[in-house]
Amino acid sequence: MNTLIWIVVPYFCLGVFVGGHAWRWRHDQFGWTTHTSQLLESRILRLGSPLFHLGAFGVIGGHAMGLLVPAAVTERIGISEHVYHTTAVWGGTVTGTMLVAGLVLLIARRFVNGRIRRVTTGADKVLYAALAAMVTLGMTATVATNLLGDGYDYRETIAVWFRGIFWLQPHTELMTSAPLVYQLHAIGGFLFLALWPFTRLVHVWSAPLAYLWRPYVIYRARRGAAPAPQPPPAAVRDSARRGVGAHH
């Protein structure tokens, strides 16, 4: 069972993540979009979207730091375990709170506004449910276990197992000893990756980064006299008809 959960499932989800994106790009390029509903409602979106995205960026950055950078590296550059732990817990709490607030607003917007509710697809509902589950587990681990509880050093267990997946050496025994909320959050994260290619989240890979270095669009004023206004097509047609009538 441990092999199935901590080895087979992660590799299967990573395969679906990569293959699903390739399939989606090949067969559904017109659906590769955010499916924005801003034109239908913008008041709640104007607050919820920035909170959600800023919180998500912070949470993803914190996960990348904690899972990919070994503790020995941070200690080598002068960051003690106490400083790292304090920064990670409070940073995760703040960004996680922003993420929760933004997600609540976005979900409420989907159900409060009738027009938004009618354009909400089944994939959207599954996505929001998965996001809510992931955020709930993550905040429970951060706040209940590390901020208010006795704490848990996931960098010595979960992070080592996670990096081992990419080195083809996952150590399942490290996960079996982790608290249940961390186990659920870890396996839920891989299941979320398998869901990713089939939702609107694919728009993340189409971020308009080229706008940062594309050349400016230059507008120049027209010199000289302005051209005479052209008559509308209806006036030209009526004038032609009058000319034909006068000729006859």
Side-chain angles (χ1 to χ4, degrees):
M1 182 60 72
N2 289 335
T3 300
L4 174 65
I5 296 176
W6 304 118
I7 297 180
V8 176
V9 171
Y11 283 122
F12 173 78
C13 292
L14 289 174
V16 174
F17 178 80
V18 175
H21 278 91
W23 176 88
R24 181 78 180 272
W25 179 254
R26 183 176 179 84
H27 297 281
D28 188 31
Q29 289 191 29
F30 289 106
W32 192 289
T33 174
T34 61
H35 297 285
T36 180
S37 56
Q38 183 177 2
L39 294 177
L40 301 178
E41 196 283 331
S42 60
R43 183 173 58 88
I44 300 177
L45 185 66
R46 192 178 300 117
L47 176 61
S49 182
L51 280 174
F52 175 81
H53 285 90
L54 290 175
F57 290 147
V59 168
I60 293 172
H63 278 69
M65 182 70 180
L67 294 175
L68 299 179
V69 180
V73 174
T74 54
E75 292 177 357
R76 190 176 298 121
I77 62 177
I79 302 176
S80 66
E81 181 60 27
H82 175 72
V83 172
Y84 176 87
H85 178 77
T86 302
T87 303
V89 170
W90 283 104
T93 300
V94 171
T95 56
T97 301
M98 294 173 60
L99 179 60
V100 169
L103 183 60
V104 168
L105 288 173
L106 294 179
I107 293 177
R109 174 177 175 268
R110 288 279 167 181
F111 292 95
V112 171
N113 189 292
R115 295 190 298 176
I116 304 298
R117 186 170 59 252
R118 284 190 290 271
V119 300
T120 300
T121 65
D124 291 333
K125 295 176 182 179
V126 173
L127 173 62
Y128 281 115
L131 280 171
M134 287 295 299
V135 171
T136 300
L137 290 171
M139 289 299 290
T140 301
T142 300
V143 178
T145 302
N146 283 312
L147 187 61
L148 303 178
D150 297 331
Y152 177 72
D153 188 5
Y154 64 90
R155 293 209 295 170
E156 297 296 332
T157 55
I158 299 175
V160 177
W161 163 78
F162 181 81
R163 293 194 298 271
I165 291 176
F166 299 94
W167 293 110
L168 303 181
Q169 294 180 339
H171 300 281
T172 59
E173 69 278 2
L174 297 176
M175 291 303 301
T176 57
S177 61
L180 179 61
V181 65
Y182 281 91
Q183 294 184 11
L184 294 176
H185 189 55
I187 203 66
F190 278 101
L191 294 175
F192 185 76
L193 289 179
L195 175 66
W196 187 307
F198 311 103
T199 67
R200 64 176 63 206
L201 289 178
V202 294
H203 79 274
V204 170
W205 314 118
S206 300
L209 299 180
Y211 287 136
L212 298 176
W213 57 77
R214 74 173 187 176
Y216 292 106
V217 178
I218 301 176
Y219 293 90
R220 292 187 174 91
R222 182 187 297 273
R223 297 182 178 180
Q230 299 296 319
V236 175
R237 184 177 60 252
D238 293 343
S239 177
R241 288 176 178 175
R242 286 196 298 269
V244 173
H247 178 73
H248 286 291

